[in-house]
Amino acid sequence: MDRKQQKVSVRNLVEFLLREGNIDSRRGTRLADREAMLAGGRIHRKIQGRMGSDYQAEVPLKKVISRGEYELVVEGRADGIIRGFGPVVIDEIKGVYRELDTYEEPERLHLAQAKCYACMYAEEQGLEQIGVQLTYVHLETEQIRRFRETYSLRELSLWMQELTEEYGKWTDFSWEWQKQRDASVRELEFPFPYREGQRELAVSVYRTINRKKRLFIQAPTGVGKTISVLFPAVKAMGEGLGEKLFYLTAKTVAAQAARDAFDVLTRQGLRIKRVYLTAKEKLCPMEVMDCNPQSCPRACGHYDRINEAVFTFLQEFDDGTREQLLFWAERFSVCPFEFALDVSSWTDAVVGDYNYAFSPTARLKRFFGEGVKGGYLFLIDEAHNLVERAREMFSAQLCKEDFLEMKKKAKPYSRRLVRELERCNKYLLVKKRSCEEYELQTDISEFLLDLLRLSGVIRQLLEEDAIPEIAEELRDFYFQIGQFLDVSERVDEHYVTYTWHGEDRRFYIRQFCIDPARNLRECLDKGNSAVFFSATLLPVNYYKELLSGETDDYGVYARSPFDAGKRSLLIGRDVSSRYTRRNEAEFARTAEYIRKIVNARQGNYLVFFPSYQYMQQVYEQFLMRKRASVSCLLQTGNMNEEKREAFLDRFREKSKDTLVGFCVMGGIFSEGIDLKEDQLIGAIVVGTGLPMVCREREILRNYYDEKNGSGFEFAYLYPGMNKVQQAAGRVIRTEKDRGVIALLDERFLTRSYLGTFPVEWQDYQVCTLDTVEGFVRRFWET
């Protein structure tokens, strides 16, 4: 029987154990990552190709170390091995923008990486000595500087033994913890009596993970989808079907649901280490987030303290909540965000935003970087949100006026920078003059080359700290350019590039990701299995096409466990929110509908509108009609957390009066809120939720018309009806709830809209302004 293994890459090993000193965003790892993304691979291949027949490129190496019950496997790929006259030489190539004459010796981590490869190869081949060569290449000039040194095998073996012994402390801890976790998982039982369909749902999740497939789940509120998905995933992980669980969410509220579910399972005896990742801005203890040792005392010497902080935290805590992370980071005087990321390397589960797995700029490279993969299990909550989020993640844009502004700032400091900025500005100026409203672009290769040159100049200036007066603005601009260049490498038939004149009178160029499935699959394929779940994942083939690109992925429709008789679904057939019908008479008619519905029974109601403007018009009409005992709340734009909670607290208060909240579909109150029993007894949805006709919606429509003849559905209908279903789902949250859902638009009765209804909505009733109050009263009297 094969012994179990704990694996680590050479790069991760040396970076983890040998890192030291400060966090410094002015010239930190983010810039190093950028250089590797932009030109590192290209320059590696170019140099390797020049080296002749004695040079063997990209050689995989592995060292297996027995640690008692398991094996520690150190593995990696040497850039090159030179065999000729004299000792064999390991070649490690590093592309840099730093001037090569400033290197007096190799960088410590680069040399350590090369020494690991040298040790592994010398042991494998039985060599008594071996050379180590660091090849530094300037990514712009392609100038080369080499450092070479020869080591004995004994010297390298002792050095690497110390390294792996130090790392063994961590893997020993991890191994012992996994045994405890797996033992607790074997004893774990589902924590509640199964509701109707819940057991089948859990079985589907386990089967999907066991088969290393993907599953899409449509599960209405009340099914208990969070625990139904999490429980079988934990069971599967305990049986060796996955090594790390990623619970990915769109909003903080969903992360809280995951935390609650984990807490339920731990009370049942589960031992599982999990960490809840929070945005850097929300964790930073400083008034101004400026990550360098001059501005932040925790950045100073962070890497000297971080490993001790992480190791002691893991020994004392299983639950890495925001509060605990902040407390521990303060105790060890380390950055709480970087601390949380390092903790995540050793936990069984990571809960966080979609960005941490999918975003090309924010994904956790320790798990999802180039060439990195693992036995990951992805649980993707509220997956309907991922379509638009992913489109934005994999799109990028630049503004012409930003080049002009940066040119003005750079003028006193660098002629070369000014020249490159002007080159980019001139390109965009030509495009601006030929563009009326917006214009599709078929070839921007000239602009991309200009951006590459500009990026190289900025990179060098930042490395040399040549213009500290504008370094912060320049760094931000550099990352914008880098993101645009990154996206350009992804552009294919699933993208459209276009220019347009913004409403702010600025001119933009955008690479727009229409279909993000291929990009998402790139991340998903790094793991074993993925489960997408939501209360509104209809039609499921639409989401399969956009989230995985494979319509043969598994799909499950979980039926609602609630009594349909406790919910009345009405469709108003004599009212519409069409643009051609938006007038005072229609606003008044809609307000009268709302008045009659809320007058039928005292209680709390939410009314959802397609826009703030439409909401305001109807709100004003309603105020002229409502009873004195009816109070109103109005959602405003950019409500902060405090105002949002104050709004919801009004619904949680006991009152004899009626409360009507006016909200916008797709906003902060249309999903992710949980008002139970008498806290909410009605949801009125005004309009079909269709997105506004705009530039990108029409681009989507044209693309899908050409691809599958469903342009209107993909661009407007399905996204709109998702918002309708989310809003309507605010009513009936538990088996004790009763409530009314009213859909106010005649279009809901057409075939295309009815075809998007969930099964639970097939018992709808059609009403008019004259009959709606009677329908509602009869419902409440039964």
Side-chain angles (χ1 to χ4, degrees):
M1 180 177 176
D2 292 338
R3 296 166 74 191
K4 291 191 175 181
Q5 296 181 331
Q6 299 247 13
K7 296 182 177 181
V8 62
S9 71
V10 167
R11 178 171 179 173
N12 286 347
L13 175 73
V14 299
E15 286 185 353
F16 180 71
L17 292 178
L18 302 180
R19 56 188 174 171
E20 62 184 1
N22 310 324
I23 296 175
D24 196 340
S25 63
R26 297 170 300 185
R27 51 180 78 167
T29 56
R30 290 178 67 196
L31 295 179
D33 287 341
R34 289 281 341 115
E35 75 184 17
M37 286 185 212
L38 293 176
R42 176 183 60 82
I43 208 72
H44 274 60
R45 291 188 293 274
K46 195 167 185 178
I47 290 174
Q48 289 164 343
R50 293 174 182 166
M51 295 301 293
S53 59
D54 291 338
Y55 193 94
Q56 185 180 0
E58 302 298 330
V59 179
L61 295 168
K62 181 164 68 173
K63 181 179 176 68
V64 180
I65 303 152
S66 176
R67 299 290 303 180
E69 294 181 293
Y70 72 96
E71 293 175 335
L72 172 60
V73 179
V74 183
E75 54 191 1
R77 190 178 295 269
D79 290 334
I81 295 177
I82 307 169
R83 299 186 68 97
F85 296 106
V88 174
V89 176
I90 296 292
D91 190 26
E92 182 69 13
I93 304 170
K94 298 296 180 184
V96 296
Y97 279 108
R98 178 177 159 187
E99 290 299 326
L100 297 187
D101 58 11
T102 64
Y103 282 94
E104 296 181 0
E105 60 184 10
E107 291 190 17
R108 182 168 180 253
L109 295 183
H110 296 164
L111 179 59
Q113 198 172 338
K115 286 170 68 176
C116 284
Y117 293 135
C119 179
M120 293 158 73
Y121 189 77
E123 288 181 343
E124 180 184 293
Q125 299 295 320
L127 306 175
E128 293 187 4
Q129 63 177 11
I130 190 169
V132 170
Q133 176 172 285
L134 265 294
T135 300
Y136 286 100
V137 190
H138 195 280
L139 287 169
E140 190 175 40
T141 66
E142 297 189 8
Q143 180 185 354
I144 294 174
R145 183 168 187 184
R146 292 185 171 95
F147 296 90
R148 182 181 289 195
E149 192 165 345
T150 301
Y151 297 89
S152 69
L153 174 58
R154 174 179 169 78
E155 183 181 4
L156 288 172
S157 295
L158 288 172
W159 174 82
M160 194 166 181
Q161 184 180 348
E162 289 182 13
L163 210 61
T164 54
E165 191 62 34
E166 173 64 18
Y167 194 74
K169 177 183 77 172
W170 293 80
T171 54
D172 287 351
F173 174 81
S174 177
W175 175 255
E176 291 301 321
W177 170 256
Q178 285 180 32
K179 290 197 295 183
Q180 293 181 47
R181 180 200 69 194
D182 293 348
S184 74
V185 169
R186 285 192 289 273
E187 302 298 320
L188 190 66
E189 296 184 357
F190 196 76
F192 307 109
Y194 281 108
R195 296 175 181 172
E196 181 182 352
Q198 200 171 28
R199 181 189 293 273
E200 291 75 13
L201 184 58
V203 169
S204 296
V205 172
Y206 181 88
R207 184 185 298 122
T208 299
I209 294 172
N210 188 37
R211 295 176 180 175
K212 296 187 176 183
K213 298 289 187 179
R214 289 185 288 266
L215 172 65
F216 287 75
I217 298 173
Q218 156 73 19
T221 299
V223 172
K225 54 184 176 292
T226 303
I227 196 72
S228 301
V229 169
L230 188 60
F231 172 76
V234 168
K235 292 290 280 186
M237 188 165 63
E239 294 173 14
L241 300 178
E243 65 184 45
K244 190 178 287 283
L245 192 157
F246 289 90
Y247 192 106
L248 304 170
T249 73
K251 298 181 180 179
T252 306
V253 175
Q256 182 60 48
R259 180 174 173 178
D260 293 342
F262 272 120
D263 288 347
V264 167
L265 294 177
T266 54
R267 287 195 293 271
Q268 297 288 112
L270 174 66
R271 299 293 309 278
I272 190 166
K273 289 193 181 294
R274 63 268 189 206
V275 64
Y276 302 90
L277 299 182
T278 306
K280 189 173 188 177
E281 296 77 8
K282 294 182 178 180
L283 284 178
C284 181
M286 307 299 291
E287 289 187 14
V288 177
M289 192 176 72
D290 193 4
C291 304
N292 65 73
Q294 291 182 345
S295 303
C296 175
R298 298 196 191 187
C300 184
H302 166 91
Y303 292 115
D304 301 327
R305 301 182 294 272
I306 186 62
N307 283 6
E308 182 186 1
V310 172
F311 195 74
T312 53
F313 181 87
L314 290 168
Q315 290 177 311
E316 296 199 24
F317 295 103
D318 295 350
D319 192 16
T321 64
R322 181 176 185 270
E323 297 75 22
Q324 288 168 337
L325 292 168
L326 285 170
F327 172 78
W328 211 255
E330 183 178 14
R331 174 177 168 180
F332 282 86
S333 189
V334 293
C335 168
F337 180 71
E338 294 295 332
F339 173 63
L341 296 187
D342 280 340
V343 167
S344 75
S345 294
W346 302 95
T347 58
D348 308 301
V350 178
V351 180
D353 189 88
Y354 298 151
N355 282 337
Y356 292 117
F358 301 125
S359 168
T361 56
R363 71 179 57 156
L364 303 178
K365 292 180 176 57
R366 64 191 68 205
F367 305 120
F368 309 113
E370 186 72 30
V372 182
K373 60 190 310 183
Y376 310 140
L377 307 180
F378 298 101
L379 306 183
I380 302 161
D381 197 359
E382 302 293 355
H384 62 276
N385 285 308
L386 185 55
V387 173
E388 294 304 325
R389 284 285 301 276
R391 279 183 174 141
E392 196 56 37
M393 286 176 197
F394 296 108
S395 299
Q397 68 186 42
L398 292 171
C399 175
K400 174 188 176 299
E401 284 68 25
D402 288 346
F403 289 89
L404 272 178
E405 186 177 342
M406 188 54 65
K407 177 185 165 185
K408 291 175 184 176
K409 291 180 178 179
K411 197 170 184 179
Y413 307 109
S414 173
R415 289 183 182 178
R416 188 179 175 206
L417 177 57
V418 168
R419 186 168 61 250
E420 296 301 335
L421 286 163
E422 179 57 25
R423 195 195 308 270
C424 294
N425 179 64
K426 280 184 177 179
Y427 178 91
L428 292 175
L429 181 61
V430 172
K431 295 295 182 182
K432 180 178 181 179
R433 287 171 176 166
S434 67
C435 178
E436 293 184 7
E437 183 183 348
Y438 77 92
E439 183 178 36
L440 300 184
Q441 304 292 328
T442 57
D443 182 10
I444 63 165
S445 55
E446 179 188 343
F447 183 56
L448 295 175
L449 288 171
D450 292 342
L451 288 176
L452 275 170
R453 282 192 293 266
L454 173 60
S455 179
V457 171
I458 297 176
R459 177 69 164 93
Q460 183 178 345
L461 291 169
L462 290 172
E463 280 287 332
E464 297 171 354
D465 200 17
I467 42 177
E469 296 84 356
I470 60 169
E472 186 175 347
E473 301 99 304
L474 198 58
R475 190 177 300 110
D476 291 342
F477 189 55
Y478 173 76
F479 287 126
Q480 288 179 42
I481 294 169
Q483 184 180 0
F484 195 89
L485 288 167
D486 283 349
V487 168
S488 72
E489 296 176 5
R490 298 176 177 274
V491 170
D492 58 10
E493 68 274 15
H494 303 109
Y495 276 78
V496 165
T497 301
Y498 67 92
T499 53
W500 87 99
H501 295 274
E503 293 181 2
D504 55 2
R505 306 189 72 175
R506 291 155 69 87
F507 185 70
Y508 296 87
I509 183 167
R510 179 166 171 82
Q511 297 174 122
F512 176 41
C513 180
I514 292 176
D515 181 354
R518 183 180 64 85
N519 291 323
L520 291 172
R521 203 166 55 244
E522 173 190 304
C523 304
L524 296 172
D525 288 347
K526 289 180 177 291
N528 284 0
S529 183
V531 178
F532 300 83
F533 57 105
S534 169
T536 57
L537 212 57
L538 295 176
V540 70
N541 280 344
Y542 163 76
Y543 288 101
K544 286 182 180 180
E545 184 166 339
L546 289 175
L547 297 179
S548 76
E550 298 178 1
T551 54
D552 60 347
D553 284 341
Y554 296 162
V556 170
Y557 191 111
R559 298 257 183 166
S560 172
F562 297 148
D563 180 0
K566 292 186 176 182
R567 186 259 298 132
S568 174
L569 176 64
L570 304 172
I571 301 178
R573 66 175 173 83
D574 57 348
V575 63
S576 178
S577 65
R578 292 180 189 270
Y579 287 105
T580 55
R581 294 264 296 269
R582 295 189 180 184
N583 52 49
E584 288 299 314
E586 200 67 27
F587 298 147
R589 190 173 194 80
T590 304
E592 189 63 13
Y593 253 107
I594 298 168
R595 185 189 70 81
K596 289 189 174 186
I597 292 170
V598 304
N599 281 354
R601 183 166 182 102
Q602 175 271 327
N604 297 339
Y605 298 81
L606 284 174
V607 189
F608 296 94
F609 294 87
S611 68
Y612 282 100
Q613 185 178 10
Y614 200 106
M615 177 182 70
Q616 187 66 39
Q617 297 280 3
V618 176
Y619 175 71
E620 291 172 2
Q621 291 283 343
F622 183 76
L623 290 180
M624 295 187 286
R625 292 169 167 75
K626 74 177 186 70
R627 293 175 177 173
S629 59
V630 176
S631 300
C632 296
L633 291 175
L634 189 70
Q635 179 183 345
T636 58
N638 302 317
M639 291 179 81
N640 59 25
E641 192 71 22
E642 185 179 347
K643 290 181 179 178
R644 176 183 182 274
E645 283 304 309
F647 187 102
L648 293 175
D649 284 343
R650 289 287 304 277
F651 286 83
R652 297 176 182 126
E653 296 170 359
K654 295 288 185 181
S655 174
K656 295 181 179 179
D657 292 336
T658 289
L659 178 64
V660 183
F662 286 71
C663 307
V664 174
M665 265 188 278
I668 56 177
F669 299 113
S670 64
E671 62 177 291
I673 64 169
D674 209 16
L675 297 172
K676 299 174 182 176
E677 300 184 33
D678 291 340
Q679 293 176 351
L680 187 69
I681 65 168
I684 303 167
V685 182
V686 179
T688 56
L690 300 187
M692 288 181 62
V693 176
C694 65
R695 176 184 59 256
E696 287 200 346
R697 285 291 140 187
E698 287 302 289
I699 289 173
L700 287 171
R701 181 174 189 161
N702 294 336
Y703 175 88
Y704 284 106
D705 268 339
E706 186 175 331
K707 182 179 181 181
N708 57 23
S710 301
F712 173 74
E713 289 80 1
F714 274 57
Y716 293 100
L717 177 60
Y718 298 153
M721 283 304 297
N722 187 277
K723 288 191 288 185
V724 169
Q725 291 173 40
Q726 281 291 328
R730 297 314 95 207
V731 180
I732 313 297
R733 309 295 295 176
T734 73
E735 58 190 13
K736 296 179 181 180
D737 294 3
R738 296 190 75 205
V740 173
I741 298 170
L743 308 179
L744 303 185
D745 199 298
E746 62 190 13
R747 286 174 288 179
F748 287 119
L749 293 169
T750 62
R751 182 181 299 176
S752 57
Y753 287 87
L754 290 173
T756 67
F757 278 20
V759 172
E760 294 78 22
W761 282 17
Q762 302 308 312
D763 61 347
Y764 65 86
Q765 295 175 295
V766 182
C767 67
T768 66
L769 185 57
D770 293 333
T771 62
V772 64
E773 190 167 3
F775 274 109
V776 177
R777 288 189 182 279
R778 284 191 292 276
F779 168 74
W780 288 117
E781 288 167 1
T782 56

